[in-house]
Amino acid sequence: MRPLPMTSMTPMTPMTSITPSAASTTPSAAPTISTLLVANRGEIACRVFRTCRELGISTVAVYSDADADALHVREADAAVRLPGAAPSETYLRGDLVVKAALAAGADAVHPGYGFLSENADFARAVTAAGLVWIGPPPAAIEAMASKTRAKELLGIAPLTDVTEADLPVLVKAAAGGGGRGMRIVRELAHLEGELAAASAEAASAFGDGEVFVEPYVENGRHVEVQLLCDAHGTVWALGTRDCSLQRRHQKVVEEAPAPGLPAALEASLLDTAVRAAKAVGYVGAGTVEFLVAEGRAHFLEMNTRLQVEHPVTEEVFGVDLVALQLSVAEGRALPPEPPAPRGHAIEARLYAEDPARGWAPQTGVLHLFELPREGRVRLDTGYVSGDAVGVHYDAMLAKVIVHAPTRAEAVRKLAHALDRARIHGPVTNRDLLVASLRHPEFGDPGLLDTGFYDRNGATLTEPRTGAEYAAVAAALAEAAGRGGRFGGGWRNLRSQDETRTYGDHEVRYRPTRDGGYEVTAPEGVRVVSATPDRVRLEVGGVVRDFDVTAYEDGTVHAGRHRLTRRPRFTDPREQTAPGSLLAPMPGTVVRVADGLAVGARVEAGQPLLWLEAMKMEHRVIAPASGTLTALHAAPGRQVEVGALLAVVSDDATPDAAQEDQTV
């Protein structure tokens, strides 16, 4: 096997000193920012705009064709179109973004996170155009934004080859983050294929296909340090964050401070982060990430930008990091010391995805999106009720953040807020988040590690209890809305029950003499009242109310349950041939397995083709061994959910596609 670019996961200390390659200079004339363009989209653009409004700074959005009606476009004072939909055509086109800033009269550019936020050439293009760059010097970005180069600066020796003894290993994109371009490899025979897949995904997501390999440390803690530096030599280390709850190597729950760290280890993390920032002349907000395992810390990377999880640090330290970024960019000095921390903050990322189906991303209209107003719950989002969730970008709907005096109080408060949220539309990970926060293992900081979902995923994705009663409420609300089968009245001649099915729950009921309803299945349910939008049921002596809303796509939300109504009769046109592989999500076919053609023999579990949806790559596998008798997919083809991709016949005749997420 050819030599591979790799780095070893060696302990963080002792740390090799870093050559000061990018000393910052104080601007000769402090700039004043009056109009800011955010070179990003969605939640982070809306979050930056919020601070700009408070500071009296005008805002400019950029948008792709897919984002023409997005919230960040509606919230900006002006917006400039970037023709196309793919990131490579739009948000990754630094030349177009700079032209947009100049055309809109902006005098500064904030990159947000992802996309071009860690692209040194883009930072240079911004400043060359006479615009203020809200970020670190380009040389500092180059020194730290690439994980491979950052580790070289830290003196971590690269490996030259991979052997069985090194397994498992982790393939990672040198640029970017968010779990994209990342693969765990446990068998040497799979390495080349995963290198190619990770490189292709990294190139699509970040415009840089460089990947590297490092030993994979099982079940460590992901801990990071927030930095903020000015151009006058002041460096703030704003405490630690724990981001150990991850799926597909992407963070799901983050909190500050990282709980349960020994004082000496925490001090070492803070000191290392400060020394690294000073060594490269860092200016602005940045984060140094570590993997903590067996009481030792291993350097992962430095993110030379604002992090997704920055709100928990803001809540603990009582600061606005975006406002401070702008202040630093205008040449102002930070106070010598940061504010003192207080309490505990925790954040959950709410995604349009189905954890029970391998975290498959979901699309559709977000019909209703409301969180409880009490308790000072913070919501950072790029969506409101009525917005559509598309296929082109990340599936994150929002970040939900709370602050409390203690960790236990913050965890309880966040779980309660999520549990009471009203989210109608695509399937989300809300129930998983609530179950995670209430899990005993999460309550014990000593048990936190990145293997949480590997151990507990099966139980955490079990359906929420009480769905059978939500189905009763849905059926009765429907009956009340149409006056019942018998016009809302009781008949002297007893008739057969009405039957409705929601998901796996069959409901049978009949009208009563007093104009109400009697439920015959499931048993033990007494109907207190039923209207088209609200049903009150008594089960086991406990009365519960269900707010019910039905939508044209067949989904019904009853209380905190999302149900899908099954038709009484199946439309023959919707039947598919045995062995049909259907697209598990809308997306784009990016690859077909080498040599795959009609007539080929395939084995169960063999990857046949790859779909890209919401910036993630998903592989569709053969559900059983057999012969490929049809292939309807080619690279570049856009498919909707349920589209026929291929047919495998003979040895087994499955009735639907199987899909395996590889990230």
Side-chain angles (χ1 to χ4, degrees), residues 240-241 254-257 309-319 339-348 371 373-380 399-417 437:
T240 58
R241 294 189 290 251
E254 301 113 342
E255 56 184 309
E309 57 272 25
H310 75 273
V312 293
T313 297
E314 292 184 322
E315 295 298 318
V316 168
F317 283 86
V319 298
R342 55 180 183 82
H344 199 92
I346 187 166
E347 165 185 299
L371 260 75
R373 295 183 178 181
E374 65 272 13
R376 296 184 62 187
V377 177
R378 171 175 169 179
L379 180 69
D380 284 14
K399 303 179 306 195
V400 185
I401 309 106
V402 300
H403 179 267
T406 67
R407 181 179 190 263
E409 291 173 284
V411 170
R412 180 178 65 189
K413 185 177 174 181
L414 179 58
H416 183 70
L437 293 165

Side-chain angles (χ1 to χ4, degrees), residues 36-49:
L36 177 76
L37 180 143
V38 176
N40 218 294
R41 63 175 302 279
E43 171 269 325
I44 185 58
C46 293
R47 190 267 167 265
V48 175
F49 291 161

Side-chain angles (χ1 to χ4, degrees), residues 457-504:
T459 56
L460 291 172
T461 54
E462 291 177 352
R464 179 190 283 263
T465 59
E468 66 271 32
Y469 306 122
V472 171
L476 297 182
E478 179 187 348
R482 54 185 168 81
R485 177 180 174 185
F486 308 103
W490 175 84
R491 290 190 172 186
N492 193 39
L493 296 175
R494 188 178 183 89
S495 178
Q496 69 182 45
D497 293 347
E498 285 278 347
T499 302
R500 294 289 181 271
T501 303
Y502 296 88
D504 297 327

Side-chain angles (χ1 to χ4, degrees), residues 193-205:
E194 296 294 16
L195 281 167
S199 179
E201 187 177 15
S204 174

Side-chain angles (χ1 to χ4, degrees), residues 122 131 168 194 337 347 386 502 556 634 640 645:
F122 177 59
L131 303 167
E194 296 294 16
E337 298 294 333
E347 165 185 299
Y502 296 88
V556 181
E640 296 298 326
L645 301 174

